Amino acid sequence: MIQSSRVDLLLSDLIMPGMNGCQLAGEVRDKYPATKNLLASDFADECDLEGVDQQLHAQMLHKPYN
């Protein structure tokens, strides 16, 4: 869908099967730089920040959230 439609914001969980949210955010940032990324997780310490900017980590939504 992201290839054929404009996506303004990608909200992704940090822990996912196959790839984590940081990896996904990095790929989306590289391929679709206009798309904003926001991560959410209970497990913020699990994020591998290599290749992902510090602002993405700093703005992470911590669960539970309203």
Side-chain angles (χ1 to χ4, degrees):
M1 179 177 150
I2 196 168
Q3 293 118 348
S4 62
S5 300
R6 180 174 172 200
V7 175
D8 294 317
L9 175 67
L10 173 70
L11 173 60
S12 175
D13 201 295
L14 183 59
I15 307 297
M16 302 183 303
M19 121 179 346
N20 69 42
C22 291
Q23 293 166 323
L24 176 61
E27 286 191 24
V28 169
R29 181 195 61 224
D30 293 344
K31 292 180 183 177
Y32 309 99
T35 301
K36 304 293 184 197
N37 289 284
L38 185 60
L39 295 176
S41 185
D42 267 343
F43 306 101
D45 293 337
E46 298 289 325
C47 188
D48 176 11
L49 295 176
E50 186 174 328
V52 177
D53 67 47
Q54 295 293 323
Q55 185 176 5
L56 181 65
H57 186 261
Q59 294 176 341
M60 185 181 306
L61 293 177
H62 298 276
K63 294 179 185 177
Y65 49 85
N66 296 335

Coordinates of all heavy atoms in Angstrom, one line a residue:
M1 N 0.8 -1.2 0.0 CA 0.0 0.0 0.0 C 0.9 1.3 0.0 O 0.5 2.2 -0.7 CB -0.9 0.0 1.2 CG -1.8 1.2 1.3 SD -2.9 1.2 2.6 CE -3.0 2.9 3.0
I2 N 1.9 1.3 0.7 CA 2.7 2.5 0.8 C 3.4 2.8 -0.5 O 3.6 4.0 -0.8 CB 3.8 2.4 1.9 CG1 4.4 3.7 2.3 CG2 4.9 1.4 1.5 CD1 5.2 3.8 3.5
Q3 N 3.5 1.8 -1.4 CA 4.1 2.1 -2.7 C 3.1 2.8 -3.7 O 3.5 3.6 -4.5 CB 4.6 0.8 -3.4 CG 5.7 0.2 -2.7 CD 5.4 -1.2 -2.2 OE1 4.2 -1.6 -2.2 NE2 6.4 -1.9 -1.8
S4 N 1.8 2.6 -3.5 CA 0.8 3.2 -4.4 C 0.0 4.3 -3.8 O -0.8 4.9 -4.5 CB -0.1 2.1 -4.9 OG -0.8 1.5 -3.8
S5 N 0.2 4.6 -2.5 CA -0.6 5.6 -1.9 C 0.3 6.5 -1.0 O 1.4 6.0 -0.6 CB -1.7 5.0 -0.9 OG -2.5 4.2 -1.6
R6 N -0.1 7.7 -0.8 CA 0.7 8.6 0.1 C 0.3 8.2 1.5 O -0.8 8.2 1.9 CB 0.3 10.0 -0.2 CG 1.1 10.9 0.7 CD 0.9 12.4 0.4 NE 1.6 13.1 1.5 CZ 1.3 14.3 1.8 NH1 0.4 15.0 1.1 NH2 1.9 15.0 2.7
V7 N 1.4 7.9 2.3 CA 1.2 7.6 3.7 C 1.9 8.7 4.5 O 3.1 8.9 4.3 CB 1.8 6.2 4.1 CG1 1.7 6.0 5.6 CG2 1.1 5.2 3.3
D8 N 1.2 9.4 5.4 CA 1.7 10.6 6.1 C 2.4 10.1 7.4 O 3.5 10.7 7.8 CB 0.7 11.6 6.5 CG 0.1 12.3 5.3 OD1 0.8 12.6 4.4 OD2 -1.2 12.4 5.2
L9 N 1.9 9.0 8.0 CA 2.4 8.6 9.3 C 2.4 7.1 9.4 O 1.3 6.5 9.1 CB 1.7 9.2 10.5 CG 2.0 8.7 11.9 CD1 3.5 9.2 12.2 CD2 1.0 9.2 12.9
L10 N 3.5 6.5 9.8 CA 3.5 5.0 10.0 C 3.7 4.9 11.5 O 4.7 5.3 12.1 CB 4.7 4.4 9.3 CG 5.0 2.9 9.7 CD1 3.9 2.1 9.1 CD2 6.3 2.5 9.2
L11 N 2.7 4.2 12.2 CA 2.8 3.9 13.6 C 3.1 2.4 13.7 O 2.3 1.6 13.2 CB 1.5 4.2 14.3 CG 1.3 3.8 15.8 CD1 2.4 4.4 16.6 CD2 0.0 4.1 16.3
S12 N 4.2 2.1 14.3 CA 4.6 0.7 14.4 C 5.0 0.3 15.8 O 5.5 1.1 16.5 CB 5.8 0.5 13.4 OG 6.3 -0.8 13.6
D13 N 4.6 -0.9 16.1 CA 5.1 -1.5 17.4 C 6.6 -1.8 17.3 O 7.1 -2.0 16.2 CB 4.3 -2.7 17.8 CG 4.4 -3.1 19.2 OD1 5.5 -3.3 19.7 OD2 3.4 -3.0 19.9
L14 N 7.3 -1.7 18.4 CA 8.7 -2.1 18.3 C 8.9 -3.5 18.1 O 9.8 -3.9 17.3 CB 9.3 -1.6 19.7 CG 10.8 -1.8 19.8 CD1 11.6 -1.0 18.7 CD2 11.3 -1.3 21.1
I15 N 8.2 -4.4 18.8 CA 8.4 -5.8 18.7 C 7.4 -6.4 17.7 O 6.2 -6.3 17.9 CB 8.2 -6.5 20.1 CG1 9.0 -5.8 21.2 CG2 8.4 -8.0 20.0 CD1 10.5 -5.9 21.0
M16 N 7.9 -7.0 16.6 CA 7.1 -7.6 15.6 C 7.8 -8.9 15.1 O 9.0 -9.0 15.3 CB 6.9 -6.7 14.4 CG 6.3 -5.4 14.7 SD 6.1 -4.3 13.3 CE 7.7 -4.2 12.6
P17 N 7.1 -9.8 14.5 CA 7.8 -11.0 14.0 C 8.5 -10.6 12.7 O 8.1 -9.9 11.9 CB 6.6 -12.0 13.7 CG 5.4 -11.1 13.6 CD 5.7 -9.9 14.5
G18 N 9.7 -11.2 12.6 CA 10.5 -11.0 11.3 C 11.4 -9.8 11.3 O 12.5 -9.8 10.7
M19 N 10.9 -8.7 11.8 CA 11.7 -7.4 11.8 C 11.2 -6.6 12.9 O 10.0 -6.7 13.3 CB 11.6 -6.7 10.4 CG 11.1 -5.4 10.4 SD 10.9 -4.5 8.8 CE 11.9 -5.3 7.6
N20 N 12.0 -5.8 13.6 CA 11.5 -4.9 14.6 C 11.1 -3.5 14.1 O 11.4 -3.2 12.9 CB 12.5 -4.8 15.8 CG 13.7 -4.0 15.5 OD1 13.7 -3.0 14.8 ND2 14.9 -4.5 15.9
G21 N 10.4 -2.8 14.9 CA 9.9 -1.5 14.4 C 11.0 -0.5 14.0 O 10.8 0.3 13.2
C22 N 12.2 -0.6 14.7 CA 13.3 0.3 14.3 C 13.8 -0.1 12.9 O 14.1 0.8 12.1 CB 14.4 0.1 15.3 SG 14.1 0.8 16.9
Q23 N 13.9 -1.3 12.6 CA 14.3 -1.7 11.2 C 13.3 -1.3 10.2 O 13.6 -0.8 9.1 CB 14.4 -3.3 11.1 CG 15.6 -3.8 12.0 CD 15.5 -5.3 12.2 OE1 14.5 -5.9 12.3 NE2 16.7 -5.9 12.2
L24 N 12.0 -1.4 10.5 CA 10.9 -1.0 9.6 C 11.0 0.5 9.4 O 10.9 1.0 8.3 CB 9.6 -1.4 10.1 CG 8.4 -0.9 9.3 CD1 8.4 -1.5 7.9 CD2 7.1 -1.3 10.0
A25 N 11.2 1.3 10.5 CA 11.3 2.7 10.4 C 12.4 3.1 9.5 O 12.3 4.1 8.7 CB 11.4 3.3 11.8
G26 N 13.6 2.4 9.7 CA 14.7 2.8 8.8 C 14.5 2.5 7.4 O 14.9 3.3 6.5
E27 N 13.8 1.4 7.0 CA 13.5 1.1 5.6 C 12.5 2.1 5.1 O 12.7 2.6 3.9 CB 13.0 -0.3 5.5 CG 14.0 -1.4 5.6 CD 13.5 -2.7 5.2 OE1 12.6 -2.8 4.4 OE2 14.1 -3.7 5.7
V28 N 11.5 2.5 5.8 CA 10.5 3.5 5.4 C 11.2 4.8 5.2 O 11.0 5.5 4.2 CB 9.3 3.5 6.3 CG1 8.4 4.7 6.0 CG2 8.5 2.2 6.3
R29 N 12.1 5.2 6.1 CA 12.8 6.5 6.0 C 13.6 6.5 4.8 O 13.6 7.6 4.1 CB 13.7 6.7 7.3 CG 14.4 8.0 7.2 CD 15.6 8.0 8.2 NE 16.5 7.0 7.9 CZ 17.1 6.2 8.8 NH1 16.8 6.3 10.1 NH2 17.9 5.2 8.4
D30 N 14.3 5.4 4.4 CA 15.2 5.4 3.3 C 14.4 5.5 1.9 O 14.7 6.1 1.0 CB 16.0 4.2 3.3 CG 17.1 4.2 4.4 OD1 17.3 5.3 5.0 OD2 17.6 3.1 4.7
K31 N 13.2 4.7 1.9 CA 12.5 4.6 0.7 C 11.4 5.7 0.5 O 11.1 6.1 -0.6 CB 11.8 3.3 0.6 CG 12.7 2.1 0.4 CD 11.9 0.8 0.4 CE 12.9 -0.4 0.3 NZ 12.2 -1.7 0.3
Y32 N 10.9 6.2 1.6 CA 9.8 7.2 1.6 C 10.1 8.3 2.6 O 9.5 8.3 3.7 CB 8.5 6.5 1.9 CG 8.2 5.3 1.1 CD1 8.5 4.0 1.6 CD2 7.8 5.4 -0.2 CE1 8.3 2.9 0.8 CE2 7.6 4.3 -1.0 CZ 7.8 3.0 -0.5 OH 7.6 1.9 -1.3
P33 N 11.1 9.2 2.4 CA 11.5 10.1 3.4 C 10.4 11.1 3.8 O 10.5 11.7 4.9 CB 12.7 10.9 2.7 CG 12.5 10.5 1.2 CD 11.8 9.3 1.1
A34 N 9.3 11.3 3.1 CA 8.3 12.2 3.5 C 7.4 11.6 4.5 O 6.6 12.3 5.2 CB 7.4 12.7 2.3
T35 N 7.4 10.3 4.7 CA 6.6 9.6 5.7 C 7.2 9.7 7.1 O 8.3 9.3 7.3 CB 6.4 8.1 5.3 OG1 5.8 8.0 4.0 CG2 5.5 7.3 6.3
K36 N 6.4 10.1 8.0 CA 6.8 10.2 9.4 C 6.7 8.9 10.0 O 5.8 8.1 9.7 CB 6.0 11.3 10.2 CG 6.0 12.6 9.6 CD 7.3 13.3 9.6 CE 7.2 14.7 9.1 NZ 8.5 15.3 8.8
N37 N 7.5 8.6 11.0 CA 7.5 7.3 11.7 C 7.3 7.6 13.2 O 7.9 8.5 13.8 CB 8.9 6.6 11.5 CG 9.0 6.1 10.1 OD1 8.4 5.1 9.8 ND2 9.8 6.7 9.4
L38 N 6.5 6.7 13.8 CA 6.3 6.8 15.3 C 6.3 5.3 15.8 O 5.6 4.5 15.2 CB 5.0 7.5 15.6 CG 4.7 7.7 17.1 CD1 5.8 8.6 17.7 CD2 3.4 8.4 17.2
L39 N 7.1 5.1 16.8 CA 7.1 3.7 17.4 C 6.4 3.7 18.7 O 6.3 4.7 19.4 CB 8.6 3.3 17.7 CG 9.5 3.1 16.5 CD1 10.9 2.8 17.0 CD2 9.0 2.0 15.6
A40 N 5.9 2.5 19.1 CA 5.2 2.3 20.3 C 5.7 1.0 20.9 O 5.8 0.0 20.2 CB 3.7 2.3 20.1
S41 N 5.9 0.9 22.3 CA 6.3 -0.3 22.9 C 6.3 -0.2 24.4 O 6.3 0.9 25.0 CB 7.7 -0.7 22.4 OG 8.0 -1.9 22.9
D42 N 6.2 -1.4 25.0 CA 6.5 -1.6 26.4 C 8.0 -1.8 26.6 O 8.5 -1.7 27.7 CB 5.8 -2.8 26.9 CG 4.4 -2.5 27.5 OD1 4.2 -1.3 27.8 OD2 3.6 -3.4 27.7
F43 N 8.7 -2.2 25.6 CA 10.0 -2.7 25.7 C 11.0 -1.7 24.9 O 11.7 -2.2 24.0 CB 10.1 -4.1 25.1 CG 9.2 -5.0 25.7 CD1 8.0 -5.4 25.0 CD2 9.4 -5.6 26.9 CE1 7.1 -6.2 25.6 CE2 8.5 -6.4 27.5 CZ 7.3 -6.8 26.8
A44 N 11.1 -0.5 25.3 CA 11.9 0.5 24.6 C 13.4 0.1 24.7 O 14.1 0.5 23.8 CB 11.7 1.9 25.3
D45 N 13.8 -0.6 25.7 CA 15.2 -0.9 25.8 C 15.7 -2.0 24.8 O 16.8 -2.2 24.6 CB 15.6 -1.4 27.2 CG 15.5 -0.3 28.2 OD1 15.5 0.9 27.8 OD2 15.3 -0.7 29.4
E46 N 14.7 -2.6 24.1 CA 15.0 -3.7 23.1 C 15.4 -3.1 21.8 O 15.8 -3.8 20.9 CB 13.7 -4.6 22.9 CG 13.3 -5.3 24.2 CD 14.2 -6.4 24.5 OE1 14.8 -7.0 23.7 OE2 14.4 -6.6 25.8
C47 N 15.2 -1.8 21.6 CA 15.5 -1.2 20.3 C 17.0 -1.1 20.0 O 17.7 -0.6 20.7 CB 14.9 0.2 20.2 SG 14.9 1.0 18.6
D48 N 17.3 -1.6 18.8 CA 18.7 -1.4 18.3 C 18.7 -0.1 17.5 O 18.1 0.0 16.4 CB 19.0 -2.6 17.4 CG 20.4 -2.4 16.7 OD1 21.2 -1.5 17.1 OD2 20.7 -3.2 15.8
L49 N 19.4 0.9 18.1 CA 19.3 2.2 17.5 C 20.3 2.5 16.4 O 20.3 3.5 15.8 CB 19.6 3.3 18.6 CG 18.5 3.3 19.7 CD1 18.9 4.3 20.8 CD2 17.1 3.7 19.1
E50 N 21.1 1.5 16.0 CA 22.1 1.6 15.0 C 21.3 1.9 13.7 O 20.4 1.1 13.3 CB 22.9 0.4 14.8 CG 24.0 0.6 13.8 CD 25.0 -0.6 13.8 OE1 25.2 -1.2 14.8 OE2 25.5 -0.9 12.7
G51 N 21.6 3.0 13.0 CA 20.9 3.3 11.7 C 19.6 4.0 11.9 O 18.9 4.3 10.9
V52 N 19.1 4.2 13.1 CA 17.8 4.9 13.4 C 18.1 6.1 14.2 O 18.9 6.1 15.2 CB 16.9 4.0 14.2 CG1 15.6 4.7 14.5 CG2 16.6 2.7 13.4
D53 N 17.5 7.2 13.8 CA 17.9 8.5 14.5 C 17.4 8.5 15.9 O 16.4 7.9 16.3 CB 17.5 9.7 13.7 CG 16.0 9.9 13.5 OD1 15.3 9.8 14.6 OD2 15.5 10.2 12.4
Q54 N 18.0 9.3 16.7 CA 17.7 9.4 18.1 C 16.3 10.0 18.4 O 15.7 9.7 19.4 CB 18.8 10.2 18.9 CG 20.2 9.5 18.9 CD 20.2 8.3 19.7 OE1 19.5 8.2 20.7 NE2 20.9 7.3 19.2
Q55 N 15.9 10.9 17.5 CA 14.6 11.5 17.6 C 13.5 10.5 17.6 O 12.5 10.6 18.3 CB 14.4 12.5 16.5 CG 13.1 13.3 16.7 CD 13.0 14.4 15.6 OE1 13.8 14.5 14.7 NE2 11.9 15.2 15.8
L56 N 13.6 9.5 16.7 CA 12.6 8.4 16.6 C 12.5 7.7 18.0 O 11.4 7.5 18.5 CB 13.0 7.4 15.6 CG 12.1 6.2 15.3 CD1 10.7 6.7 14.8 CD2 12.7 5.2 14.4
H57 N 13.6 7.4 18.6 CA 13.6 6.7 19.9 C 13.1 7.7 21.0 O 12.3 7.3 21.9 CB 15.0 6.3 20.3 CG 15.0 5.5 21.5 ND1 15.4 6.0 22.7 CD2 14.7 4.2 21.8 CE1 15.3 5.1 23.7 NE2 15.0 4.0 23.1
A58 N 13.4 8.9 20.9 CA 13.0 9.9 22.0 C 11.5 10.1 21.9 O 10.9 10.4 23.0 CB 13.8 11.2 21.8
Q59 N 10.9 10.0 20.7 CA 9.5 10.3 20.6 C 8.6 9.1 20.7 O 7.4 9.1 20.5 CB 9.2 11.0 19.3 CG 9.8 12.4 19.2 CD 9.6 13.0 17.9 OE1 9.4 12.4 16.9 NE2 9.8 14.3 17.9
M60 N 9.2 7.9 21.1 CA 8.4 6.7 21.2 C 7.3 6.8 22.1 O 7.4 7.3 23.2 CB 9.4 5.5 21.6 CG 8.7 4.2 21.6 SD 9.8 2.8 22.1 CE 11.2 3.0 21.0
L61 N 6.1 6.2 21.8 CA 5.0 6.1 22.7 C 5.2 4.9 23.6 O 5.5 3.8 23.1 CB 3.7 6.0 21.9 CG 3.2 7.1 21.0 CD1 2.0 6.7 20.3 CD2 3.0 8.3 21.9
H62 N 5.1 5.1 24.9 CA 5.3 4.0 25.8 C 3.9 3.5 26.2 O 3.0 4.3 26.6 CB 6.1 4.5 27.0 CG 7.5 4.9 26.6 ND1 8.5 4.0 26.5 CD2 8.0 6.1 26.3 CE1 9.6 4.6 26.1 NE2 9.3 5.9 26.0
K63 N 3.7 2.2 26.1 CA 2.4 1.6 26.4 C 2.4 1.4 27.9 O 3.4 1.2 28.6 CB 2.3 0.2 25.8 CG 2.2 0.3 24.3 CD 2.1 -1.1 23.7 CE 2.1 -1.1 22.2 NZ 2.1 -2.5 21.7
P64 N 1.2 1.4 28.5 CA -0.1 1.8 27.9 C -0.2 3.3 27.7 O 0.4 4.1 28.4 CB -1.1 1.3 28.9 CG -0.4 1.4 30.2 CD 1.1 1.2 30.0
Y65 N -0.9 3.6 26.7 CA -1.1 5.1 26.4 C -2.6 5.3 26.1 O -3.3 4.3 25.8 CB -0.3 5.5 25.2 CG -0.3 4.7 24.0 CD1 -1.3 4.8 23.0 CD2 0.6 3.7 23.7 CE1 -1.4 4.0 21.9 CE2 0.6 2.9 22.6 CZ -0.4 3.1 21.7 OH -0.5 2.3 20.6
N66 N -3.0 6.5 26.2 CA -4.4 6.9 25.9 C -4.6 7.4 24.6 O -3.8 8.1 24.1 CB -4.9 7.9 26.9 CG -4.8 7.5 28.4 OD1 -4.9 6.3 28.6 ND2 -4.7 8.4 29.3

